[in-house]
Amino acid sequence: MNQPSNVDSQEISKFDRVARLWWDTDGKMGMLHVINPLRTRFVLDQAPLRQSRVIDIGCGGGIFAEALAEAGAKVVGIDQAQQTLEIARQHATKSGLAIDYRLQTVEHLVTQEAGSYDVVTCMEMLEHVPNPASVVNACARLLKPGGHAFFSTINRTLKAFLFAIVGGEYILHILPRGTHRYNKLIRPDELRKWSATGGLEFVSIASLMYDPLAKHFRVVPGKEDINYMACFTKKD
Ligand code: SAH
């Protein structure tokens, strides 16, 4: 199969190499488990999920997709990492959740299912693709009018470089080395610009602030710090 254009195969292999660790809460993906309840709450506070059609872009092993399904959403998850998707499928079965996992890109999916989702989520994924603006645009087109899009990523600032890359990957070892590259990080104003181009209206932003001593995150609404999440809505 030809490699779809907006996919970085090195990034995909990086995730597939640790595929069996997605659900190990003490392992390399542990940080995603720590932040999962906080990001789930951010979505639930702004979009009703019960019986909603939700698509999770770059779903990985399904940590976030399962939380959305548990909240009552009908969830589709797409990713480009095959082994990772297999782990996601197996885990959903174990959890008794009917999640539809597909090996697809959002750019391809939107040619088939534009305008058919109530909620699109794309968490910690934009910083791993060659062209994040293209992903945001396709996410916008997947939404029904009035639907919600949620993105989370890491800011491209000196502080983020020092804390998320140097601190997180090399000093505290809370993220695997090589997880993030500075020039791939995304500033909130860039995310807002791409979203506006796709016809999305900005709703809110919040940051996950980490206390390394307490090993604890909290959500600070309105803050554009290192690890941030933003909500947008599609114009009617
Ligand atoms: N969203 C999940 C996983 C984040 S890790 C969570 O937050 O828990 C980033 C994921 O994006 C990986 O699983 C990786 O395989 C996937 N990914 C990277 N590029 C992609 C692309 N172009 N299309 C779909 N998935 C992609």
Side-chain angles (χ1 to χ4, degrees):
M1 199 179 80
N2 285 340
Q3 180 74 49
S5 63
N6 194 16
V7 177
D8 180 336
S9 52
Q10 286 186 352
E11 289 278 350
I12 302 301
S13 321
K14 210 161 69 183
F15 287 105
D16 255 354
R17 270 200 299 277
V18 290
R20 65 192 169 78
L21 296 178
W22 278 99
W23 287 92
D24 176 358
T25 50
D26 299 320
K28 288 182 192 262
M29 303 298 188
M31 194 47 72
L32 291 174
H33 290 276
V34 173
I35 64 175
N36 212 40
L38 300 174
R39 53 193 192 162
T40 305
R41 176 50 48 207
F42 183 74
V43 171
L44 286 173
D45 283 348
Q46 299 178 88
L49 288 193
R50 193 146 292 283
Q51 292 305 314
S52 297
R53 286 204 76 202
V54 177
I55 181 137
D56 189 29
I57 312 296
C59 59
I63 299 167
F64 192 56
E66 287 206 9
L68 302 172
E70 273 163 12
K74 289 177 271 179
V75 182
V76 176
I78 64 169
D79 204 284
Q80 278 295 305
Q82 295 206 37
Q83 278 133 280
T84 288
L85 277 177
E86 206 36 56
I87 297 289
R89 290 191 186 104
Q90 286 168 14
H91 199 275
T93 306
K94 245 196 289 177
S95 306
L97 294 167
I99 300 175
D100 178 2
Y101 285 115
R102 306 179 192 167
L103 182 71
Q104 216 169 17
T105 61
V106 64
E107 288 90 350
H108 185 248
L109 183 73
V110 79
T111 64
Q112 304 165 333
E113 298 192 22
S116 49
Y117 288 90
D118 300 293
V119 173
V120 175
T121 58
C122 180
M123 314 307 266
E124 315 300 330
M125 181 268 197
L126 292 173
E127 69 275 22
H128 301 288
V129 294
N131 181 354
S134 157
V135 172
V136 172
N137 190 278
C139 286
R141 284 158 52 216
L142 281 175
L143 282 177
K144 297 176 187 172
H148 289 83
F150 294 88
F151 300 100
S152 74
T153 187
I154 298 182
N155 206 343
R156 196 174 66 259
T157 57
L158 178 62
K159 184 176 176 189
F161 174 71
L162 291 175
F163 284 84
I165 298 183
V166 180
E169 296 181 18
Y170 292 85
I171 298 173
L172 296 172
H173 306 291
I174 52 178
L175 288 173
R177 279 188 190 186
T179 300
H180 293 115
R181 277 176 291 157
Y182 179 73
N183 64 346
K184 298 294 294 172
L185 304 181
I186 294 164
R187 292 199 314 261
D189 58 308
E190 292 167 331
L191 178 62
R192 275 196 288 261
K193 190 182 75 193
W194 302 333
S195 300
T197 306
L200 295 175
E201 268 169 20
F202 172 73
V203 176
S204 68
I205 194 160
S207 283
L208 289 164
M209 309 284 288
Y210 187 59
D211 176 346
L213 293 180
K215 294 195 172 166
H216 173 83
F217 276 100
R218 67 196 163 91
V219 176
V220 182
K223 185 132 181 117
E224 297 180 2
D225 202 65
I226 297 174
N227 197 318
Y228 66 94
M229 328 179 256
C231 170
F232 297 84
T233 182
K234 180 148 167 174
K235 293 175 194 160
D236 280 325

